[in-house]
Amino acid sequence: MTLLTATLAGLIPFLLYFATALILLMLFMALYMRMTPNDEVALIKENNAAASVVLSAAFIGFSLPLASAAANSINLIDFLIWGVIAGIAQLAVYQVFKRFYPLISERISRGEIAVSIKLAGISVTVGLLNAACITY
């Protein structure tokens, strides 16, 4: 087997994992945006930096454990299961945060950046912890 053949043998698993990751990412973002009363995409189109910060951090916060799940999984089903668990954990973070800041959606709509940065920081921090916990 040549070096090129050996290298290309990993292409199919890469494509399967990458496609699964993108599907999980899109599913997570759809659930996240459905969970929040704001239309983040519309707010971002209106140049609302607070909405952009929060949505970007949710994206990154989920991508971190998703990457860890891909790196640590033993097969595609294992990756899928841990990706779903990571998504549930990240969505739970928003629900807990919302309990402490019940007006978070209104504040983001008004473009309040301080509370948005706090939510963003928590999303990324929990994503890092979530990623670190997905080990064998």
Side-chain angles (χ1 to χ4, degrees):
M1 183 183 284
T2 68
L3 180 60
L4 180 61
T5 306
T7 300
L8 290 178
L11 185 59
I12 298 300
F14 163 78
L15 291 173
L16 289 171
Y17 274 77
F18 191 65
T20 302
L22 290 177
I23 290 167
L24 286 170
L25 194 54
M26 289 185 294
L27 179 62
F28 171 81
M29 293 311 291
L31 290 170
Y32 182 87
M33 289 189 292
R34 179 169 280 184
M35 184 182 288
T36 64
N38 293 335
D39 182 350
E40 287 87 354
V41 175
L43 289 172
I44 293 167
K45 286 179 181 178
E46 295 170 3
N47 201 30
N48 183 315
S52 184
V53 166
V54 169
L55 190 61
S56 295
F59 201 77
I60 294 165
F62 177 62
S63 294
L64 292 165
L66 193 59
S68 180
N72 289 295
S73 65
I74 55 174
N75 58 41
L76 193 61
I77 299 299
D78 188 50
F79 169 55
L80 184 62
I81 291 168
W82 282 106
V84 169
I85 291 169
I88 291 168
Q90 290 298 118
L91 293 172
V93 167
Y94 174 76
Q95 291 302 321
V96 170
F97 188 87
K98 198 166 72 168
R99 302 279 185 250
F100 290 95
Y101 294 90
L103 300 176
I104 185 67
S105 296
E106 293 83 0
R107 294 176 75 180
I108 291 170
S109 293
R110 290 194 302 264
E112 293 184 26
I113 198 72
V115 72
S116 300
I117 291 171
K118 183 170 186 176
L119 176 55
I122 289 172
S123 294
V124 172
T125 300
V126 171
L128 282 168
L129 294 173
N130 194 350
C133 293
I134 301 176
T135 61
Y136 291 85

